[in-house]
């Protein structure tokens, strides 16, 4: 699904992120599973990731990132008209994590709020929803949060997945564009259910409710066919990135920055090659953060904006792919 190229109607007014203080390094993993710092760095680019404290839940991380984004936008939480929390690691199955975020950040007690499950593409899906609500005048200001506590759903006995993921949250306040051409220019979101079992958690839902047996068989943890997802990611992220450019009548030269989902440095290298966008225009923080799924793009974007790396007037592409399989891209004129 694509939004048409036109003058932006919505804009990111403020950003914030939160990373738990505890860090797990590749050397820590060497003591836990049969792996090495060298393998992890060479095959993924990851050196360390942040892990939440036992007492923290997804809404705690999300609320902190949300508060920071609201402060950055200089906006009172009562001015929010919608809260969208993109996550595959909710506090609990019911109610939505967005309810706790609404309560904790002090949004209006009737502010609509819901969770959105699009895995690593969650933030792009969330931006697309925010833009649509603003475009159709159902909302003026929307808080979009990408938050993941992947440490809670990873099998720390499985070296092929455990070394990849980290915890964190990133948030954006999306509001009306100012009419100067800056803002959210386009979003393109996609999904392919044929690949549902390439990256999934078998149990814990209505198909296989939690039981002693599902726990024994470790069916509540993430399972991934890494190579399949890798190949699909390179193909789909490259095409979604090219679409973000061509659908807006732009060329590769017009793109100042790409904020890719930080899943694997080799995927990012391949997307750079295939899309023709030079590698030095990709913002990378995977070595410090690992794969934080839906939080990955807003964390990287906030870092890049606060560091002054992304400047006013620049064209920035976001692209992500994750479990579902879901994927997408967005073009923002900063
Ligand atoms: O964010 C959502 C989207 N997710 C992704 O985009 C992830 C996509 N996939 C990947 O990034 C890569 O496929 C992985 C990083 C997950 C795996 O890298 P790979 O180069 O595709 O490795 P592989 O699965 O082909 O495994 C190669 C070898 C295997 O050993 P054998 O069978 O050749 O003896 C694995 O058992 O590497 C082994 N291996 C490890 N060795 C040391 C797998 N994980 C590890 C590890 N340490 N942590």
């Amino acid at each position: 699904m694509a939004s048409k190229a036109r003058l932006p109607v919505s804009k990111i007014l403020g950003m914030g992120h939160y990373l738990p203080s505890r860090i797990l390094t590749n050397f820590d993993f060497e003591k836990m599973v049969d792996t090495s710092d060298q393998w992890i760095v060479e095959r993924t680019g990851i050196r360390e990731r942040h892990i939440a404290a036992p007492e923290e839940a997804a809404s705690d991380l999300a609320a902190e990132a949300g508060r920071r984004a609201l402060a950055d936008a200089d906006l009172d939480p009562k001015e929010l008209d919608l809260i969208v929390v993109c996550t595959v690691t909710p506090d609990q199955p019911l109610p939505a994590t967005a309810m706790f975020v609404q309560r904790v950040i002090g949004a209006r007690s009737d502010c609509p709020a819901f969770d959105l499950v699009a895995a690593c593409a969650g933030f792009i899906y969330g931006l697309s929803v925010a833009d649509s609500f603003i475009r159709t005048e159902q909302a003026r200001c929307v808080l979009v949060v990408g938050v993941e506590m992947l440490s809670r759903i990873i099998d720390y006995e499985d070296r092929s997945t455990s070394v990849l993921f980290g915890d964190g949250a990133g948030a954006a306040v999306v509001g009306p564009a100012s009419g100067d051409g800056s803002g959210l220019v386009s979003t393109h979101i996609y999904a392919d259910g044929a690949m549902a079992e390439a990256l999934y958690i078998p149990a814990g839902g209505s198909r296989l409710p939690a039981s002693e047996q599902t726990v024994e068989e470790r069916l509540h943890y993430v399972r991934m066919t890494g190579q399949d997802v890798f190949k699909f990611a390179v193909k789909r992220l490259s095409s979604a990135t090219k679409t973000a450019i061509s659908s807006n009548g732009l060329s590769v030269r017009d793109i100042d920055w790409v904020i890719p989902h930080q899943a694997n440095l080799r995927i990012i290298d391949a997307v750079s090659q295939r899309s023709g966008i030079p590698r030095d225009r990709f913002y990378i923080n995977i070595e410090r953060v690992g794969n934080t799924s839906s939080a990955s793009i807003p964390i990287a974007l906030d870092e890049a904006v606060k560091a002054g790396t992304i400047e006013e007037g620049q064209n920035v592409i976001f692209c992500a792919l994750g479990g579902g399989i879901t994927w997408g891209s967005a073009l923002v004129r900063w």
Side-chain angles (χ1 to χ4, degrees):
M1 191 169 76
S3 58
K4 284 213 183 96
R6 27 43 180 170
L7 250 189
V9 167
S10 70
K11 177 176 180 159
I12 294 178
L13 304 177
M15 295 287 310
H17 77 272
Y18 172 78
L19 287 164
S21 55
R22 186 178 159 218
I23 288 173
L24 207 56
T25 68
N26 291 352
F27 299 105
D28 294 323
F29 272 99
E30 286 184 353
K31 295 176 207 139
M32 294 157 62
V33 283
D34 180 16
T35 191
S36 65
D37 173 61
Q38 191 189 354
W39 190 95
I40 303 170
V41 172
E42 279 178 13
R43 304 309 291 166
T44 71
I46 300 167
R47 292 181 187 276
E48 56 188 39
R49 64 295 281 149
H50 293 251
I51 303 293
E55 66 278 10
E56 282 179 315
S59 66
D60 300 321
L61 276 58
E64 191 49 43
R67 275 198 211 101
R68 292 177 186 183
L70 285 161
D72 191 40
D74 200 14
L75 199 84
D76 189 287
K78 301 274 185 259
E79 290 180 69
L80 290 174
D81 305 305
L82 177 66
I83 298 169
V84 183
V85 174
C86 314
T87 189
V88 295
T89 49
D91 284 20
Q92 51 210 59
L94 184 74
T97 301
M99 301 306 138
F100 301 113
V101 174
Q102 184 220 52
R103 194 164 76 186
V104 173
I105 65 171
R108 285 192 335 263
S109 60
D110 63 352
C111 176
F114 59 83
D115 288 3
L116 189 161
V117 182
C120 306
F123 186 71
I124 293 176
Y125 268 66
L127 282 184
S128 184
V129 168
D131 184 54
S132 303
F133 269 74
I134 292 168
R135 189 168 292 281
T136 53
E137 298 181 355
Q138 295 180 80
R140 194 167 177 277
C141 288
V142 182
L143 179 66
V144 180
V145 189
V147 59
E148 300 296 359
M149 300 263 296
L150 294 157
S151 63
R152 302 289 213 264
I153 57 165
I154 284 164
D155 186 348
Y156 279 99
E157 291 182 10
D158 176 5
R159 67 176 183 175
S160 70
T161 50
S162 59
V163 301
L164 305 174
F165 298 103
D167 299 337
V173 175
V174 186
S178 36
D180 60 358
S182 66
L184 192 53
V185 180
S186 67
T187 57
H188 291 82
I189 56 173
Y190 310 93
D192 184 354
M195 295 274 288
E197 286 81 16
L199 176 44
Y200 77 129
I201 298 174
S206 59
R207 189 165 298 283
L208 260 186
S211 68
E212 219 170 291
Q213 194 187 344
T214 60
V215 173
E216 239 166 56
E217 292 176 15
R218 308 182 81 76
L219 298 177
H220 297 273
Y221 294 123
V222 168
R223 294 191 175 187
M224 178 167 71
T225 318
Q227 285 196 0
D228 290 352
V229 179
F230 188 103
K231 285 181 208 146
F232 203 74
V234 169
K235 209 162 120 189
R236 296 305 195 186
L237 289 173
S238 305
S239 63
T241 300
K242 285 186 198 162
T243 303
I245 299 172
S246 61
S247 68
N248 291 300
L250 300 176
S251 77
V252 164
R253 282 190 311 279
D254 299 312
I255 305 307
D256 299 289
W257 286 105
V258 179
I259 309 279
H261 169 46
Q262 315 277 322
N264 188 318
L265 205 50
R266 290 183 296 130
I267 294 178
I268 296 172
D269 287 342
V271 172
S272 161
Q273 265 173 16
R274 286 199 181 198
S275 65
I277 303 175
R279 178 62 165 68
D280 59 8
R281 288 191 225 161
F282 284 70
Y283 182 84
I284 314 278
N285 67 359
I286 191 170
E287 66 279 6
R288 290 179 283 113
V289 177
N291 181 346
T292 57
S293 186
S294 67
S296 155
I297 289 177
I299 291 172
L301 177 64
D302 190 33
E303 280 184 6
V305 170
K306 300 273 160 67
T309 306
I310 293 178
E311 294 170 10
E312 243 173 67
Q314 290 189 323
N315 286 322
V316 186
I317 288 179
F318 310 149
C319 60
L321 176 139
I325 297 286
T326 55
W327 70 100
S329 63
L331 178 77
V332 171
R333 190 155 307 118
W334 201 256

